[in-house]
Amino acid sequence: MKKMINTTHIEGLLYEHKLELRESGPNSKKPGTKFIMGTIDIATDDEGVNIVPVHFTYVTEKTAKGATNNTFTVLTNIIDGKFGSIMEHGKDKAVKLRIDSALALNEFYTERNGVEELVSAKRNEGGFIHVADALAEDETVRNTFKCDMLITGVKEVEADEEKGLPAKAIVRGAIFDFRN
C-alpha cells in the first residue's frame, strides 16, 4: 500500500490556548515523563474571524531519538506566556505560528437522552509547530489541507430555490493517518 497523504498547513496569530503541562503516571510506559497536552487556536485571517483549533495529545521534551523537541519548547513558551495570544495580550503582541499537522478523528462514546452514542469529531491533530517571522500575504494559503481519500459514497442533494441553496454532492470517505 502506498503512503497515504494527510497534511494540513495552518499559519496565523495565536488566538488562545488550553494547554497543560502534565506528568505520566506510575503505570505508564515511561513513568514520570513530562508532557504537554491540549489545544491551541490560531486566527488564520487578518480580522481574527477564522479560528482553527489544533489539538496536541502527548508532546514530550525529547524526541524518540533523544533530541530536543521544538514543538515542546514552543508550547512551553505559550503556557508560560512568553509567546502572547490575541485574547490575553492583544493582536499586536500575539505570536505568529506555522503548524504542519494532519486531519484526525476524535472518537468517544457519550450518553445522550439515555442512549449511548458514538461521537466522531474531526480535528487537526499534533504535528510540528514553529514561530514564524511573517505570515503569507494571501490569507487563502494560511489554512489548507491535502489528503488521499478512499471514497465510500456520494449523495446528490438537489437545489433548494426557496432557501437559495445550489445543488451539491456530499462525498463520504476515509482518510488515513501517518500509519496508513
Side-chain angles (χ1 to χ4, degrees):
M1 178 181 220
K2 83 170 196 123
K3 179 75 175 155
M4 303 295 273
I5 296 169
N6 178 354
T7 62
T8 64
H9 176 80
I10 302 154
E11 62 181 78
L13 297 176
L14 176 62
Y15 185 75
E16 66 181 345
H17 75 88
K18 295 173 197 80
L19 296 171
E20 296 177 17
L21 180 61
R22 293 186 170 187
E23 190 172 301
S24 60
N27 297 328
S28 70
K29 192 186 271 188
K30 293 186 178 179
T33 301
K34 290 183 182 178
F35 68 95
I36 296 174
M37 73 171 296
T39 303
I40 62 172
D41 294 330
I42 306 296
T44 62
D45 62 330
D46 293 334
E47 291 183 31
V49 177
N50 189 48
I51 309 298
V52 178
V54 180
H55 183 79
F56 295 89
T57 302
Y58 184 79
V59 180
T60 57
E61 193 171 6
K62 300 287 182 184
T63 65
K65 295 180 181 178
T68 299
N69 185 346
N70 185 58
T71 299
F72 183 89
T73 303
V74 172
L75 295 177
T76 299
N77 286 331
I78 290 170
I79 291 171
D80 294 343
K82 292 178 185 172
F83 293 158
S85 69
I86 292 173
M87 293 303 289
E88 285 188 47
H89 306 94
K91 187 176 177 182
D92 294 339
K93 294 183 182 176
V95 66
K96 295 177 183 97
L97 297 173
R98 185 181 79 247
I99 303 171
D100 294 302
S101 184
L103 296 173
L105 204 56
N106 180 27
E107 292 190 301
F108 55 92
Y109 285 94
T110 187
E111 194 170 306
R112 294 184 182 170
N113 302 322
V115 178
E116 191 171 72
E117 292 182 288
L118 175 65
V119 175
S120 301
K122 294 175 283 301
R123 69 181 178 189
N124 293 295
E125 179 73 41
F128 302 99
I129 184 170
H130 303 280
V131 174
D133 293 328
L135 302 176
E137 287 291 322
D138 181 0
E139 291 180 356
T140 64
V141 300
R142 293 185 195 169
N143 181 20
T144 60
F145 72 94
K146 290 181 185 177
C147 63
D148 290 329
M149 184 169 115
L150 176 64
I151 296 173
T152 59
V154 178
K155 177 182 170 186
E156 186 178 353
V157 179
E158 294 181 13
D160 186 337
E161 292 179 21
E162 286 181 18
K163 294 181 181 177
L165 299 174
K168 65 181 179 180
I170 298 174
V171 180
R172 294 186 54 152
I175 297 171
F176 300 90
D177 67 9
F178 67 95
R179 294 181 195 96
N180 279 345

